[in-house]
Amino acid sequence: MKDGETTDDLYAFLTCQPNDEVKAIHPRAMPVILTEQGEWEAWMNGAPAVELQRPLPDGLLELIEEPN
């Protein structure tokens, strides 16, 4: 490795097909949004990502500012 051995904080997020609100802005993907405590617990306890990979139901997001 160019910089040698390093310790880094790395982050990632899981995406899925977009719901109707997101599709109007980004037609290819949206982040998975977990809204229920059981979903959070499943994620934190190592549930397979595919079990939680789904778009947020339509109508739960609100655009508060038009994109540039």
Side-chain angles (χ1 to χ4, degrees):
M1 295 175 58
K2 180 180 173 184
D3 296 333
E5 186 174 329
T6 63
T7 300
D8 301 297
D9 292 326
L10 303 175
Y11 303 91
F13 58 92
L14 185 62
T15 62
C16 60
Q17 294 296 315
N19 67 7
D20 286 342
E21 288 92 355
V22 175
K23 191 181 295 183
I25 298 167
H26 193 282
R28 294 178 53 192
M30 70 177 287
V32 171
I33 302 173
L34 305 177
T35 60
E36 302 293 329
Q37 184 172 348
E39 296 170 331
W40 309 331
E41 291 171 355
W43 178 255
M44 296 304 291
N45 288 316
V50 70
E51 292 180 9
L52 299 166
Q53 192 174 21
R54 48 71 186 134
L56 196 63
D58 293 332
L60 294 181
L61 293 175
E62 178 182 345
L63 181 63
I64 57 173
E65 184 178 323
E66 289 293 326
N68 293 328

